[in-house]
């Protein structure tokens, strides 16, 4: 095992060069701006498991942070709208799982995370990829299978990666033990980082999750297991699939927190608490983010055979993470409606331009078939379709 530990740490530190997202541009015009610098908001009470104290029940938000968070929420929603349209045009092929409705989970978590922290998630990963530093073109071009995609167009919708972002994983629940491994690397290296391993309620009954829980607690790894409970695992409701749907308690001996995943401020504060908890040597934590997805499980699922259209519409009207956040910050006079309209226009333009580029870029050539299979390839050849016809391994993307 002593030989495996340094290897894991070395692998953990290796990252590929990814097209970076530009810093949010300042929105300037003659629109009326709010002059209030910050405001305090009450948060829906958290539910706690084996914790004497949880995150604060109120949080202060600055005008600058409010604008940044709104822009990211709008960007994620727009990315998924574009993705859905590209799929319907048959430009995106294969599987495609949309995140619309769940944006507050990712945006709030990312707002609290530090550069040293790592994330691994399932296949509903387009928005997370962008939040972790990949440009709009890098995300959308990967979905269309083009060379400017963050995985050179070879990964597609379920396999997007960036610095400190380990996917995008297609096997249900398989990312969770990997997330525990990332936490192990953080602890081994002593860098103070925390690993966030996200999974859905549909994966919450997987045996490998409980194995990962056990190892993480045995070694007190700085890992936050985040269950994004959107109510349905494919087409099966949580009440039909789980004997206990209190997912934040399912770690048993691991403390847990239930969070309103439709409130971006609540998810930010819960993540701040989780980072403080795990980075102080107390071991892992389980967080349940109660959220909702508007689309079907994937693009092949209309999402109406196991729930009513009225149910979806009610959530849109009463709990939408973007609309509710917009109402909060406008009524608190942190921002003005004109500012938010400018952001909406800016985001729409940027995503439309990125979509156009993602449709026009070429695919990689066949010479990259064996490119970057290994970080450090110890053998010069890769087995082809026939044992007597090996292929040469090539390095395409420079490594840091």
């Amino acid at each position: 095992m002593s030989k495996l530990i340094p290897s894991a740490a070395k692998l953990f530190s290796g990252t590929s060069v990814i097209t970076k997202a530009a810093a949010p541009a300042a929105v300037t015009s003659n629109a009326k701006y709010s002059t209030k610098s910050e405001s305090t908001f009450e948060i829906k009470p958290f539910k706690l498991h084996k914790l004497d104290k949880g995150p604060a029940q109120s949080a202060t938000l600055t005008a600058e942070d409010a604008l940044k968070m709104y822009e990211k929420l709008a960007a994620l929603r727009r990315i998924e709208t574009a993705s859905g349209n590209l799929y319907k045009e048959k430009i995106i092929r294969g599987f495609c799982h949309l995140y619309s409705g769940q944006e507050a989970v990712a945006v709030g978590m990312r707002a609290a995370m530090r550069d040293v922290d790592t994330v691994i998630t399932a296949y509903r990963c387009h928005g997370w990829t962008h939040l972790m530093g990949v440009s709009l073109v890098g995300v959308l071009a990967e979905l269309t299978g083009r060379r400017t995609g963050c995985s050179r167009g070879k990964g597609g919708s379920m396999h997007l990666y960036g610095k400190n972002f380990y996917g995008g994983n297609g096997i249900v629940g398989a990312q969770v033990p990997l997330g525990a491994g990332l936490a192990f690397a953080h602890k081994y290296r002593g860098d103070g980082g925390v690993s966030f391993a996200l999974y859905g309620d549909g994966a919450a009954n997987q045996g490998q999750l409980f194995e990962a829980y056990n190892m993480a607690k045995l070694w007190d790894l700085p890992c936050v297991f985040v269950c994004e409970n959107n109510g349905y695992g494919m087409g099966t409701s949580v009440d039909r699939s789980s004997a206990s749907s209190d997912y934040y308690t399912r770690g048993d001996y691991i403390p847990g927190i239930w969070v309103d995943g439709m409130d971006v401020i609540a998810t930010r504060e819960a993540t701040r608490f989780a980072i403080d908890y795990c980075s102080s040597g107390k071991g892992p934590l389980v967080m349940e983010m109660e959220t909702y997805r508007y689309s079907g499980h994937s693009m092949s699922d209309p999402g109406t055979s196991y729930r009513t259209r009225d149910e979806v519409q009610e959530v849109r009207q009463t709990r939408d993470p973007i609309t509710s956040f917009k109402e909060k910050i406008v009524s608190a006079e942190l921002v003005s409606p004109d500012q938010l309209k400018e952001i909406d226009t800016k985001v729409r333009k940027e995503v439309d331009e990125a979509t156009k580029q993602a449709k026009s870029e070429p695919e990689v050539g066949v010479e990259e078939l064996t490119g970057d299979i290994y970080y450090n390839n110890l053998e010069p050849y890769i087995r082809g379709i026939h044992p007597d016809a090996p292929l040469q391994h090539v390095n395409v993307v420079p490594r840091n």
Side-chain angles (χ1 to χ4, degrees):
M1 182 175 178
S2 61
K3 293 181 180 179
L4 293 176
I5 294 175
S7 298
K10 181 178 179 181
L11 178 61
F12 176 82
S13 63
T15 54
S16 59
V17 174
I18 302 295
T19 307
K20 299 297 181 182
V27 180
T28 58
S29 78
N30 293 323
K32 181 182 177 182
Y33 289 96
S34 173
T35 56
K36 199 169 181 180
S37 61
E38 64 178 40
S39 185
T40 300
F41 298 91
E42 296 299 315
I43 298 173
K44 189 174 182 178
F46 300 97
K47 299 175 186 177
L48 306 179
H49 170 67
K50 290 189 180 295
L51 286 171
D52 296 327
K53 183 180 179 182
Q57 296 296 303
S58 63
T60 300
L61 188 68
T62 66
E64 180 183 4
D65 287 344
L67 289 170
K68 287 180 180 178
M69 292 168 77
Y70 181 83
E71 181 172 346
K72 290 174 181 176
L73 289 166
L76 265 59
R77 180 68 59 87
R78 199 71 190 175
I79 286 172
E80 298 300 53
T81 300
S83 300
N85 291 336
L86 287 168
Y87 193 92
K88 292 171 184 175
E89 294 174 37
K90 297 184 178 180
I91 296 174
I92 293 177
R93 299 282 186 159
F95 295 103
C96 186
H97 307 81
L98 303 184
Y99 202 62
S100 301
Q102 299 182 214
E103 298 91 348
V105 176
V107 172
M109 288 181 62
R110 187 67 182 98
M113 288 169 56
R114 307 156 303 169
D115 291 341
V116 72
D117 299 323
T118 51
V119 176
I120 188 167
T121 186
Y123 35 73
R124 216 174 293 279
C125 62
H126 310 157
W128 262 113
T129 309
H130 180 55
L131 291 176
M132 292 300 290
V134 176
S135 68
L136 292 170
V137 173
V139 173
L140 292 169
E142 187 58 41
L143 300 183
T144 59
R146 309 308 169 96
R147 68 180 183 184
T148 47
C150 59
S151 300
R152 298 287 290 168
K154 296 187 287 185
S157 172
M158 297 192 288
H159 304 100
L160 297 95
Y161 307 94
K163 184 176 181 181
N164 284 354
F165 180 65
Y166 291 81
N169 291 267
I171 305 301
V172 175
Q175 71 278 9
V176 179
L178 298 178
L182 293 172
F184 179 84
H186 280 305
K187 185 167 185 175
Y188 177 80
R189 298 175 68 193
D191 60 15
V194 172
S195 169
F196 291 88
L198 292 94
Y199 56 97
D201 53 277
N205 298 319
Q206 288 269 323
Q208 56 191 325
L209 262 74
F210 297 93
E211 294 181 53
Y213 287 168
N214 182 57
M215 295 176 73
K217 185 57 182 174
L218 274 174
W219 296 337
D220 278 337
L221 301 182
C223 188
V224 184
F225 298 101
V226 184
C227 178
E228 291 187 271
N229 177 9
N230 61 24
Y232 300 92
M234 297 188 72
T236 306
S237 69
V238 295
D239 295 328
R240 293 181 59 215
S241 66
S242 299
S244 170
S245 57
D246 291 331
Y247 296 106
Y248 70 101
T249 69
R250 298 276 290 270
D252 188 14
Y253 40 79
I254 299 177
I257 308 173
W258 176 92
V259 185
D260 179 4
M262 304 297 269
D263 181 355
V264 70
I265 302 175
T267 60
R268 185 190 71 170
E269 294 307 304
T271 305
R272 284 177 172 173
F273 175 87
I275 289 174
D276 289 342
Y277 182 92
C278 293
S279 61
S280 64
K282 296 178 181 177
L285 193 68
V286 175
M287 285 205 303
E288 177 187 348
M289 300 282 192
E290 187 169 312
T291 182
Y292 197 84
R293 61 167 162 82
Y294 295 146
S295 303
H297 170 72
S298 67
M299 288 299 296
S300 61
D301 169 25
T304 54
S305 61
Y306 47 88
R307 59 183 182 179
T308 65
R309 296 182 187 275
D310 289 341
E311 176 186 310
V312 179
Q313 192 61 27
E314 181 183 1
V315 176
R316 282 186 180 273
Q317 292 175 350
T318 61
R319 296 171 54 208
D320 183 80
I322 300 179
T323 303
S324 59
F325 183 63
K326 178 179 179 179
E327 291 173 352
K328 282 183 180 179
I329 57 179
V330 170
S331 61
E333 298 180 353
L334 275 180
V335 301
S336 71
D338 287 337
Q339 286 175 287
L340 300 185
K341 287 179 183 177
E342 285 187 341
I343 290 176
D344 289 335
T345 301
K346 173 177 174 284
V347 167
R348 186 182 303 111
K349 180 181 178 182
E350 290 176 348
V351 174
D352 287 349
E353 290 174 353
T355 302
K356 187 180 297 183
Q357 185 176 341
K359 293 164 73 172
S360 62
E361 288 284 341
E363 299 176 358
V364 296
V366 293
E367 67 276 3
E368 285 196 33
L369 181 63
T370 57
D372 298 324
I373 294 177
Y374 297 105
Y375 170 67
N376 181 23
N377 187 41
L378 300 179
E379 299 290 337
Y381 297 107
I382 301 297
R383 178 171 174 168
I385 59 173
H386 192 278
D388 296 328
L391 302 172
Q392 184 79 35
H393 183 272
V394 293
N395 294 320
V396 179
V397 180
R399 306 302 176 100
N400 290 337

